[in-house]
């Protein structure tokens, strides 16, 4: 790395001053372009969001909230944060919003801190049945600080077992019930959870990170107005910059704000909050709502082809942006499946399936989502073709040569839908 004077330090292009990192930025843009991205929690954000996230707002300290900061010079970033909050309120109809959490995990931490005392009992979905590590995994802060109990899905249809939720709620009398999942392909019945929470005198929280885009577009029922607190990330189906957000009713707003700062974080990432504001602006458009409808239709179309190709899907199908392929009855593990799809030009993640007998590092399943490819412009005919490619790749008899042929079919789709051409051919930054 070299720079000759102060002005070049401030203005030199990364390609000149740090060619090693610049080459890696270009390589990652190329990787995203050349493969079919189907990790259910990922998406492609807009050029405008990346511009905000790469802006001089990264230089600003702004502990506190708009109008109540611990630093001077916040008059501009105050307006940015106010816009992000106003857009989130409008999008989801929430009374109160805090856009400062650095991540979904921090948003959950803030919600727990606002609603619970250490040692309180919480009832949430088991990670092995589709929950999340911040929903009480023993080695996570959540499992260490609070006494989590877990519900799961029914063995016969892999839907959330609301009878078990009620039974466990009556037995454990939790202070909080949590709904929300990272690997659940069906609609979640938020009013049914609320009813149980009310019966046992618990607060109710929803982590809607995976489905936030669908909720914003009205293609999944909203938890806002039903739950006391709703947490989310901005970068999954919502498609914005990486980060978190907490929505709440008016009663819990101050407690949430205090939990985020000074409870958990120092200076908010104002450049990322600007990116959140841009993303929330996108999400208010009819174009965004239309895209979310396609996310679900694309997933349903792919699911049909997977089933027609002989694969088992957890719960038999999907209502949302993801499917869970169950490989338990095949000679393949989740690790094998992820590797085969990678060779076929498709990026997914291995994932445990409910009642999985293999360890989490191996698993018997694959989680496959359609949000990113829908943002890229793919529609049902392409997702049907991808469903056929996946089903062929996962047949036990498929050879390496067959996988190379399947990769050519994946590449033919990628080439028809350019992604960030300016980042692979031109500048490496937005
Ligand atoms: N890691 C995310 C996911 O893949 O679902 C959840 O935080």
């Amino acid at each position: 790395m070299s720079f000759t004077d102060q002005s070049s330090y401030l203005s030199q292009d990364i390609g000149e001053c740090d060619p090693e990192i610049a080459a890696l930025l270009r390589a990652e843009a190329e990787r995203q372009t050349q493969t079919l991205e189907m990790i259910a929690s990922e998406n492609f954000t807009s050029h405008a969001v990346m511009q905000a996230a790469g802006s001089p707002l990264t230089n600003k300290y702004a502990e506190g909230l708009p109008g109540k900061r611990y630093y001077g010079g916040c008059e501009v970033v105050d307006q940015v944060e106010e816009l992000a909050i106003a857009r989130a309120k409008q999008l989801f109809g929430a009374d109160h919003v805090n856009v400062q959490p650095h991540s979904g995990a921090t948003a959950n931490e803030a919600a727990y801190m606002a609603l619970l005392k250490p040692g309180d009992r919480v009832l949430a979905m088991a990670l092995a049945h589709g929950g999340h590590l911040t929903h009480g995994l023993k080695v996570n802060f959540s499992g260490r600080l609070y006494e989590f109990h877990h519900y799961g899905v029914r063995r016969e249809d892999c839907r959330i077992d609301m009878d078990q939720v009620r039974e466990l709620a009556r037995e454990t009398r939790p202070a909080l019930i949590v709904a929300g999942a990272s690997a659940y392909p069906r609609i979640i019945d938020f009013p049914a959870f609320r009813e149980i929470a009310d019966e046992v005198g618990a607060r109710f929280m929803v982590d809607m990170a995976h489905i936030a885009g669908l909720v914003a577009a009205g293609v999944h029922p909203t938890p806002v107005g039903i739950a006391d607190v709703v947490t989310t990330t901005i970068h999954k189906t919502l498609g914005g910059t990486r980060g978190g957000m907490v929505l709440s009713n008016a009663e819990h707003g101050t407690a949430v704000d205090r939990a985020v700062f000074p409870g958990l974080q120092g200076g908010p990432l104002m450049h990322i909050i600007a990116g959140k504001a841009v993303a929330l602006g996108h999400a208010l458009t009819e174009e965004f709502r239309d895209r979310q409808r396609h996310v679900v239709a694309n997933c349903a179309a792919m699911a049909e082809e997977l089933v027609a190709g002989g694969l088992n899907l957890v719960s038999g199908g999907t209502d949302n942006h993801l499917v869970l392929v169950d490989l338990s009855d095949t000679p393949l593990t989740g690790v094998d499946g992820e590797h085969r799809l990678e060779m076929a030009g498709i990026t997914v993640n291995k994932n445990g399936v409910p009642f999985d007998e293999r360890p989490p590092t191996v698993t018997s399943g694959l989680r496959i989502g359609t949000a990113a490819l829908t943002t890229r412009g793919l529609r049902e005919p392409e997702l049907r073709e991808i469903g056929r490619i996946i089903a062929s790749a996962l047949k036990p008899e498929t050879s390496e040569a067959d996988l190379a042929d399947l990769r050519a079919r994946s590449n033919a789709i990628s080439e028809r839908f350019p992604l960030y051409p300016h980042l692979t051919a031109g500048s490496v930054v937005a």
Side-chain angles (χ1 to χ4, degrees), residues 87-342:
R87 289 174 185 178
K89 282 184 175 173
Q90 187 185 344
L91 186 62
F92 291 108
D95 293 339
H96 184 89
V97 178
N98 187 301
V99 293
Q100 294 189 0
H102 300 333
S103 68
T106 318
N108 285 345
E109 216 174 346
Y112 298 150
M113 196 182 243
L115 298 171
L116 300 170
K117 298 183 304 306
D120 274 355
R121 279 191 293 277
V122 186
L123 181 58
M125 189 158 176
L127 178 61
H129 284 214
H132 189 254
L133 78 162
T134 59
H135 299 179
L137 189 70
K138 278 270 176 271
V139 292
N140 181 259
F141 80 89
S142 53
R144 298 174 67 152
L145 281 181
Y146 308 103
E147 183 190 318
F148 269 81
H149 296 259
H150 289 109
Y151 60 85
V153 298
R154 288 185 294 252
R155 199 177 267 277
E156 60 274 21
D157 61 1
C158 288
R159 310 280 178 133
I160 293 173
D161 186 345
M162 294 308 298
D163 293 334
Q164 187 199 26
V165 177
R166 181 173 282 104
E167 225 168 85
L168 285 171
R170 285 177 179 164
E171 207 174 287
T172 61
R173 310 302 292 190
L176 178 70
I177 297 181
V178 180
S182 17
Y184 184 66
R186 296 296 182 179
I187 300 278
I188 301 178
D189 186 350
F190 300 127
F193 274 98
R194 175 85 252 181
E195 200 186 299
I196 295 171
D198 287 344
E199 184 195 318
V200 300
R203 304 268 192 216
F204 178 39
M205 165 184 153
V206 173
D207 175 348
M208 67 168 180
H210 261 267
I211 54 169
L214 309 184
V215 168
V219 296
H220 187 293
T222 183
V224 178
I226 297 172
D228 298 286
V229 174
V230 177
T231 59
T232 186
T233 51
I234 317 287
H235 52 270
K236 298 190 174 85
T237 46
L238 209 42
T241 188
R242 195 157 285 280
M245 174 164 82
V246 184
L247 318 169
S248 68
N249 57 22
E251 182 193 345
H252 299 294
T254 306
V256 167
D257 287 346
R258 287 194 184 133
V260 175
F261 171 83
L264 295 165
Q265 296 184 174
L269 310 177
M270 295 315 302
H271 55 309
I272 298 301
I273 290 174
K276 291 175 187 178
V278 176
L280 292 163
H282 291 321
L284 283 163
T285 63
E286 183 49 38
E287 189 196 331
F288 176 88
R289 284 190 283 276
D290 185 54
R291 193 162 72 236
Q292 300 305 307
R293 290 189 280 271
H294 282 295
V295 168
V296 174
N298 281 351
C299 202
M302 175 182 69
E304 271 181 31
E305 296 296 335
L306 296 175
V307 171
L311 291 168
N312 286 331
L313 301 185
V314 170
S315 83
T318 175
D319 300 326
N320 60 19
H321 62 298
L322 66 84
V323 296
L324 269 177
V325 176
D326 184 351
L327 297 168
S328 308
D329 290 341
T330 78
L332 299 182
T333 64
V335 170
D336 299 328
E338 183 183 309
H339 180 61
R340 280 187 179 211
L341 292 188
E342 197 172 352

